[in-house]
Amino acid sequence: MMKRAVALGLVLLLAGAGAAAADSGKRMIVGGTLASATEAPWAVAITNTDASRASKRWCSGVLVAPNKVLTAAHCAARATSSYGVIQGRADLNDREVGQFSKVTALWVHPAYSGTTNHNDFAVLTLAKPMTGVPVMPLETSAKADRKGAVPVVYGWGDTHETGPEDTLQKLAVPDLGDSTCLGIKGYRENGYSAAANVCAGYLDGRADACQGDSGGPLVLNGRLLALVSWGNGCAQAGYAGVYAEVAPAAKTLMDQVR
Ligand code: ARG
């Protein structure tokens, strides 16, 4: 998105090569805490056969009907048959618990833009519906995105040593209001939209969603406020997390769910 993001990509590569020490404590659901599958039964991990990790972890998502999972459009660019969905398994390496389903159909929001990331939504249809799991209702009011609210984000994404990998983490992230993200030059240039995004997190860099959390739920008052979408690195001071706001897209999404 901007020079800084390119530089940051290099730092991430270095960290992968074992030079992470200087950055530890910097990027995770960086700075979150462990969540159990019982407290977030609607949270699901999305796997892909193309993933490099042994766990095949790819993105996160949320169950919105027994056979429908909402995730980020930018997570859904691979072949339908390469995807899997895991429910009820906080630790992805614990194959004894939870349910797994293959995916039979993949829908990407028709107005999704890979440039601005607007409408970063996709719906996966499961081969085998998840049983005994409450689904997450969608927020339909645009007023729910308001500065001062404190939604909670869930995901299996990178923790960068602030927690175990491949494990469901949660983090309360203050809604900073659209003006905060619009006030960040790179975010404005990258397409941050007051109507379509939620700006949430910590400008002091203490905690954030991260790679692998994409598509994971941002929950407020028992409803799905938004999905993890993008950010400049993770938990970088001066930058918040950008989420895809559900309310403006709720009608379109609901049509896919029934
Ligand atoms: N795009 C990332 C993914 O694919 C999620 C980025 C969220 N970043 C952030 N700093 N909040 O998993």
Side-chain angles (χ1 to χ4, degrees):
M1 63 193 249
M2 48 182 171
K3 275 219 201 80
R4 196 186 162 100
V6 173
L8 207 72
L10 287 173
V11 171
L12 284 168
L13 271 174
L14 286 171
D23 298 286
S24 65
K26 264 275 153 180
R27 309 189 205 87
M28 350 155 195
I29 287 184
V30 179
T33 57
L34 284 176
S36 70
T38 8
E39 69 179 289
W42 24 258
V44 295
I46 294 170
T47 60
N48 191 281
T49 51
D50 295 339
S52 51
R53 313 174 67 89
S55 67
K56 296 295 160 193
R57 188 197 87 191
W58 188 255
C59 274
S60 299
V62 55
L63 200 68
V64 291
N67 69 334
K68 300 283 180 180
V69 164
L70 187 58
T71 187
H74 80 261
C75 292
R78 304 293 168 117
T80 306
S81 62
S82 64
Y83 287 98
V85 171
I86 298 172
Q87 185 279 333
R89 189 178 301 163
D91 174 356
L92 295 185
N93 298 307
D94 180 6
R95 315 262 152 135
E96 305 291 299
V97 300
Q99 324 181 46
F100 174 85
S101 174
K102 298 284 288 175
V103 170
T104 55
L106 223 166
W107 172 91
V108 172
H109 195 295
Y112 167 61
S113 160
T115 316
T116 62
N117 279 302
H118 293 176
N119 296 294
D120 196 4
F121 298 108
V123 174
L124 314 183
T125 301
L126 305 183
K128 196 162 56 93
M130 299 294 174
T131 56
V133 184
V135 300
M136 171 66 60
L138 306 186
E139 178 59 67
T140 55
S141 168
K143 289 191 186 129
D145 174 19
R146 86 186 154 73
K147 189 173 179 166
V150 187
V152 178
V153 60
Y154 297 83
W156 279 265
D158 293 353
T159 63
H160 289 261
E161 293 162 18
T162 61
E165 297 298 335
D166 294 336
T167 303
L168 181 60
Q169 301 271 320
K170 64 178 171 186
L171 173 71
V173 281
D175 187 328
L176 301 173
D178 294 311
S179 57
T180 297
C181 278
L182 287 170
I184 301 169
K185 187 168 176 275
Y187 279 14
R188 207 163 50 238
E189 290 171 358
N190 203 48
Y192 184 92
S193 157
N197 291 127
V198 173
C199 178
Y202 298 91
L203 294 177
D204 65 3
R206 90 176 75 155
D208 192 6
C210 199
Q211 267 53 48
D213 290 320
S214 274
L218 180 66
V219 178
L220 180 67
N221 297 326
R223 289 184 295 279
L224 186 65
L225 177 66
L227 300 184
V228 175
S229 185
W230 56 276
N232 179 34
C234 312
Q236 296 294 307
Y239 294 90
V242 179
Y243 296 78
E245 188 177 347
V246 164
K251 273 210 182 77
T252 307
L253 298 177
M254 237 104 87
D255 284 344
Q256 292 305 316
V257 168
R258 49 178 157 245

